Every structure is written in C-alpha cells, then in structure tokens.
C-alpha cells in the first residue's frame, strides 16, 4: 500500500495468471512465434496467439476482380526519411547537416509496411480487426476504426464495414515499426505523416464501398479484400463460409454457431484438420452439395448398395449382419432376417412381458413385433420425443434467442430464457399418418427447445414467418411464468400479443421490418449480386 504501482498489481492479481499469459501471448505473438524470445510467467511459457484464417490457397471469384485470395501478404517500402542521430529531427533531402543541432551524423529510416490481411474462418460481432505492431509488440489489437471507417472531405465519418450485418471477419497483422507512438505507447500518432502514408497504402484514400467517389482507383490490400468478402450472402464456396444444405430452402444455410465454437477450440488445440483448414473446408464444400443417398461397396463383388441395405443386391453377401440366436448355429445372417436361413431358427426373441408402443401408447402382446394399433415396429421412437427430434434436425442460430428477456408489466425484466431452435429434416407428425404440425416445443423453466418444419404449408403458402410462431411460443412461456402480473395496474401490458411483439422487435426487428431504406438496400444488393453473375 502506498506504492504508486500497488493498484496496478492488485488489478493484475484479479485477472489471474492464465488471462495474463493469454494477453501477453497476444501482444507479443509475432516475436514469440519466431522463437527469438520466450516469456515465462510462474514457470509456464506464454503461447503466441494465432489468427484462425483461411489458407493462402483459398479464394472467391468476383466479377471484375477475378479470383480474390483469402490472404494478402505484403512487404512494401513506401518511402524513406533522413533523420539526425543526435536529436532525431527530420533532415531535408540533400542536406549534410541537421538544421536543428548542426550534427552531421545522419541516418536513413525506411518507411516499410509488412504483414498480412486476411479472412477469419468465422465471423464475429467483436472478434475481428487488424493488429498493428511496432517492434514486436502489438500497439493496437483488432483495430477497426482506422480501416473500416471513412472520413470524407466534409469531416463526416461513415462506417464501411460491416454494414450488411453486425458481424465481421477481416483480420490481420501489420508491422509499422517506423510510425511514432504516443507517450504511453497505447496508440500510434494518428496525425503524423508516417501514419497517414501507411494507412493510405493499407486501405486507400477512398471509402471501401465500390460505388463511392474515388473507389475505382483504390488498389489497396484491404479494399481488394473487402470487395471479395464484404458480406456472407451464399454459404459455401461462393462466399467462403461453412454451411449445410437446407432442403426446406433448397439451398445452403450457415453452420450452427455451436459447431463454429467447437472447431475454433480444436484450432486452438492445434488438432490436425482443424489447425489447418482441411476440416473447415469440408463444411464449405458440403454447403454446395445436395445430399445424396450414400452408397456402400460390397466387399465380395464390389457392387454399389444403398446405405442401410443389409444384403448385397448383386451377390447376396451380408453387409449388416447379426449372429443367429441358436447357439448351435451362431452363423452370421442379415440384420433384418426374421429366421435363420441356415438352421431355420426364429430370430424374434421370446418376450414374457407385454410392451407399450412409444408412438401411439397402445399396449401389445409379448409376441407382437409391431404395434397392433399403428403398426410401428417395436422400439420405434415417439416422433415427438426429444431424442427423435434432435436426431432429425439441425440447430438454427438465426431463429434462436440466447438469454431472451423482455420488460414485464411491473417494469422489471423477465428471467433469461435460453431459446434454441432446430429445423427438422422431415415433417413433424404427432401420430402416424396423422396431420402434420408446423412447430413443437419442449419447455423447461430456464430453456425452450423449438423444432420447426419450414416446409409446412403454414410457412410455404400462408405467408406466416417462423419468427412469428417462435415468438408466440416464447411469449406463452413468459406469460405463464409471470401470471402474478395478470392483476397488476398495468395488466393490459401483460398479454400474449404484447410479449410476442417485444420478442419480435428485440430479436428480429432488423430482419422483419420493411422500411424504405431497407428495401433500397435490398434492391442495390440484388443488382450487385446479379452484376457479379453476368458474363463479362
């Protein structure tokens, strides 16, 4: 206590050594990666941070630009300076002595910009931007304003990126050893000529948006990267983003954020296929491929068989087998065989107890292999069971609501409700051969799992948005959980319609609202996409 640094040290202790190691590993990543120095905290070495970017060989194709690589690397000498070694003053070219101090000891300083800018394998609301490094230390981490904002001649500042969503994926590491920094070395001197020349080389002197004045002359690395990867409209190779084929939309949609987090964690662990981008690339390619029934090759005759067939259609070889239940026979027979082809023994085990059908709930005699009511084979899962639904659905992040809260009638906030939405790959049918339903909810006090059939007639023909149905289900949960407010003085606010409106406005307001500005942006985006696809 009393020492000028005691408060700073106390703050470090609160961070904890793992956090400090991570931050040191980020700020000194480039020199740690080169192996020229090692930084150890409490006998454990700091690991250098690495950006999770696509390989140099990956690219997208754009009209007018051709192939746009996922990484631009550069090492460019953009100018030189003559400096006095005695007082560091700038000396005019052609002079042999410093005007400030008269010294004749001069040196040439190179204005060299080196490093790379590229595309992260996933986008994020905050985790993007370019690291700016001076003499091995990152002065600015994830710098955005210098590259993604533009100030015009009237001193008005506009945001260039991201403008099509809230997520960005342009990252990089740029060394600016010659650019002066402020006294505390927390930032570069942004009014210095060295800074202005470096930024002019990196992002150009115009807006990044191609239709803005001066953009046609911009040939900077960040501008080129922006033209290729400004937005993620088509998942797959078209925009270099992971996805899955969505039968309901007859096209690709983005991969779940849960899968992205899993892959990113494996990248940090440097697991093969995840540290390099091989496994990530498989998900990019899969987004472009309409699923086909997998074929299985017969080991006996090499004939192709549909996946799930237990015998070869060509030679009869057993592909999926089981051992005969007769201990004296015990030969391998097809999985679906009701009796052994060798000894004739029935393969249906004797069950002494009656069983209940999971599908319709009917009771069946022990010797029945299928339900007497609905004919479902014994062991068939209930089509509304969580196990069955999860096995036949994919997580949809754009329809999910993490930690959903709304303002209640008493002006308090509701308890966070984790809403996870899954898109089913087949109709939701409560009863066999019964009427299909558009949505099914599995509810608990702290979470709601919603399963949506986007191919249902409600969404295809009735012009109802899935967001509306999801908001209605969540509103019902919030209404039931706060029924105490039904008699509140503001009870007119505690209604299903009011709660549903709050959810729609808060979560999907930007998606569902059709303002004049949004329609204009959609039209512009449509014609930009059309122009890219037209032949030269």
């Amino acid at each position: 206590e009393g020492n000028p640094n005691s408060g700073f040290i106390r703050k470090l202790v609160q961070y904890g050594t793992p956090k400090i190691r991570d931050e040191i590993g980020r700020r000194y990543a480039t020199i740690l990666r080169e192996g020229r120095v090692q930084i150890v905290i409490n006998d454990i070495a700091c690991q250098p941070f690495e950006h999770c970017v696509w390989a140099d060989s990956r690219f997208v194709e754009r009209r007018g630009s051709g192939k746009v690589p996922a990484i631009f690397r550069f090492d460019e000498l953009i100018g030189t300076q003559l400096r006095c070694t005695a007082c560091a003053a700038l000396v005019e070219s052609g002079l042999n002595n410093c005007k400030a101090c008269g010294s004749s000891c001069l040196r040439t300083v190179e204005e060299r910009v080196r490093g790379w800018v590229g595309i992260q394998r996933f986008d994020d609301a905050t985790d993007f931007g370019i690291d700016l490094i001076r003499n091995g230390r990152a002065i600015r981490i994830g710098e955005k304003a210098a590259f993604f904002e533009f100030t015009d001649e009237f001193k008005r500042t506009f945001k260039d990126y991201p403008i099509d969503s809230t997520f960005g994926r342009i990252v990089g590491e740029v060394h600016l050893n010659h650019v002066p920094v402020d006294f505390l070395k927390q930032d570069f001197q942004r009014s210095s000529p060295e800074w202005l020349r470096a930024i002019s080389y990196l992002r150009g002197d115009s807006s990044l948006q191609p239709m803005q004045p001066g953009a046609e002359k911009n040939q900077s690395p960040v501008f080129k990267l922006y033209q290729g990867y400004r937005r993620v409209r088509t998942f797959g190779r078209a925009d270099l983003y992971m996805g899955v084929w969505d039968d309901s939309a007859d096209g690709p949609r983005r991969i779940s954020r849960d899968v992205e987090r899993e892959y990113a964690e494996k990248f940090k662990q440097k697991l093969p296929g995840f540290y390099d981008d091989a496994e990530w690339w498989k998900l990019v390619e899969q987004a472009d491929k309409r699923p086909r029934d997998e074929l299985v090759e017969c080991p006996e005759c090499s004939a192709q068989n549909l996946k799930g067939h237990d015998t070869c259609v060509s030679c009869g070889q057993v592909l999926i087998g089981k051992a005969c239940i007769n201990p004296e026979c015990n030969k391998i027979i097809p999985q679906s065989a009701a009796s052994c082809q060798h000894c004739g023994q029935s393969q249906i085990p004797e069950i002494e107890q009656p069983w209940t059908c999971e599908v319709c709930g009917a009771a069946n005699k022990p010797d029945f292999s299928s339900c007497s009511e609905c004919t479902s084979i014994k062991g068939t899962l209930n089509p509304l069971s969580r196990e069955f639904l999860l096995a036949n659905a994919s997580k949809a992040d754009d329809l999910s609501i993490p930690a959903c809260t709304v303002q209640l009638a008493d002006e308090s906030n509701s308890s966070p409700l984790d809403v996870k939405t899954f898109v089913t790959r087949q109709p939701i049918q409560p009863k066999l051969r019964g009427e299909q339903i558009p949505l099914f909810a599995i509810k608990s006090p702290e979470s709601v799992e919603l399963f949506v059939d986007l191919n249902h007639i409600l969404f295809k023909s009735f012009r109802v948005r899935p967001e509306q149905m999801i908001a209605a289900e969540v509103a019902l949960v919030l209404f039931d959980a706060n029924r105490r407010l039904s008699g509140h003085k503001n009870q007119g606010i505690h209604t299903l319609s009011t709660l549903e409106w709050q959810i729609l406005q808060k979560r999907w307001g930007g998606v569902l609202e059709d303002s004049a500005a949004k329609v204009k942006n959609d039209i512009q985006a449509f014609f930009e996409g059309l122009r890219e696809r037209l032949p030269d």
Side-chain angles (χ1 to χ4, degrees), residues 141-362:
I141 289 178
E143 173 63 36
K144 299 174 179 62
F147 298 98
F148 308 139
E149 292 180 1
F150 177 69
T151 303
D152 66 10
E153 55 189 318
F154 302 107
K155 304 303 179 184
R156 292 178 298 188
T157 300
F158 302 92
K159 185 178 181 182
D160 274 340
Y161 178 83
I163 56 175
D164 302 291
S165 72
T166 58
F167 296 92
R169 54 176 179 156
I170 296 178
V171 295
E173 290 181 343
V174 178
H175 296 261
L176 302 175
N177 294 341
H178 66 283
V179 179
V181 293
D182 60 22
F183 177 71
L184 295 175
K185 297 184 180 179
Q186 299 298 306
D187 199 356
F188 292 90
Q189 294 181 14
R190 302 198 179 207
S191 60
S192 66
E194 295 88 348
W195 168 268
L196 297 175
R197 284 191 288 268
I199 294 301
S200 175
Y201 168 77
L202 289 167
R203 60 100 63 217
D205 299 317
S206 71
S207 168
L208 298 178
Q209 300 178 50
M211 306 305 292
Q212 297 299 316
E216 70 279 358
K217 299 178 182 178
N218 197 333
Q219 294 297 314
S220 65
V222 173
F223 180 84
K224 292 177 181 177
L225 205 61
Y226 178 88
Q227 303 318 305
Y229 304 90
R230 165 183 164 178
R231 64 169 69 90
V232 180
R233 185 192 293 121
T234 306
F235 302 101
R237 281 175 289 189
D239 285 335
L240 192 58
Y241 210 94
M242 299 180 296
V244 293
W245 186 268
D246 186 355
D247 286 328
S248 62
D250 195 31
R253 62 177 172 82
R254 75 168 297 139
I255 204 72
S256 166
R257 292 284 183 191
D258 295 338
V259 175
E260 286 183 3
R261 283 189 285 269
E262 176 191 340
Y263 275 43
E265 190 58 37
K266 291 180 178 179
F267 168 83
K268 292 177 183 177
Q269 298 170 13
K270 297 188 176 182
L271 298 180
F274 298 93
Y275 182 61
D276 61 275
D277 65 5
E279 292 298 324
W280 300 72
W281 181 250
K282 288 179 182 178
L283 295 185
V284 172
E285 291 186 311
Q286 104 175 351
D288 296 327
K289 296 177 181 177
R290 189 186 300 272
R292 296 179 180 177
D293 291 334
E294 186 178 341
L295 297 177
V296 178
E297 186 176 289
C298 174
E300 186 68 26
C301 68
S302 300
Q304 298 290 321
N305 295 268
L306 290 176
K307 185 179 179 180
H309 282 204
D310 54 7
T311 57
C312 175
V313 294
S314 179
C315 67
Q317 170 75 18
V318 176
L319 301 176
I320 304 175
K322 62 182 179 182
C324 174
I325 63 174
N326 181 1
E328 296 180 2
C329 175
N330 202 35
K331 290 185 177 179
I332 300 299
I333 59 176
Q335 181 75 35
S336 60
S339 60
C340 178
Q341 63 203 49
H342 303 288
C343 67
Q345 174 76 44
S346 172
Q347 300 300 301
I348 301 175
E350 296 182 3
I351 304 172
E352 298 180 355
Q353 297 294 329
W355 56 277
T356 303
C357 176
E358 293 286 339
V359 177
C360 67

Side-chain angles (χ1 to χ4, degrees), residues 10-64:
R10 189 179 297 110
K11 186 179 290 186
L12 283 181
V13 172
Q14 291 172 351
Y15 289 150
T17 49
K19 176 65 175 176
I20 296 172
R21 285 192 199 98
D22 288 344
E23 293 299 321
I24 292 290
R26 178 71 185 268
R27 278 157 178 76
Y28 295 96
T30 52
I31 58 172
L32 288 173
R33 232 178 278 141
E34 293 168 0
R36 294 190 289 121
V37 68
Q38 188 179 45
I39 303 176
V40 178
I41 301 177
N42 287 9
D43 299 325
I44 300 177
C46 298
Q47 298 301 316
F49 172 84
E50 294 189 70
H51 287 278
C52 183
V53 292
W54 291 104
D56 294 56
S57 59
R58 307 302 183 194
F59 62 88
V60 295
E61 294 195 60
R62 294 288 181 258
R63 175 180 170 83

Side-chain angles (χ1 to χ4, degrees), residues 100-126:
C101 68
S103 173
S104 60
C105 295
L106 310 177
R107 67 186 179 98
T108 300
V109 178
E110 289 187 342
E111 292 190 15
R112 183 173 293 278
V113 179
R114 66 179 178 89
W116 60 270
V117 290
I119 298 301
Q120 197 166 240
R121 298 177 199 170
F122 56 90
D123 58 12
D124 193 87
T126 57

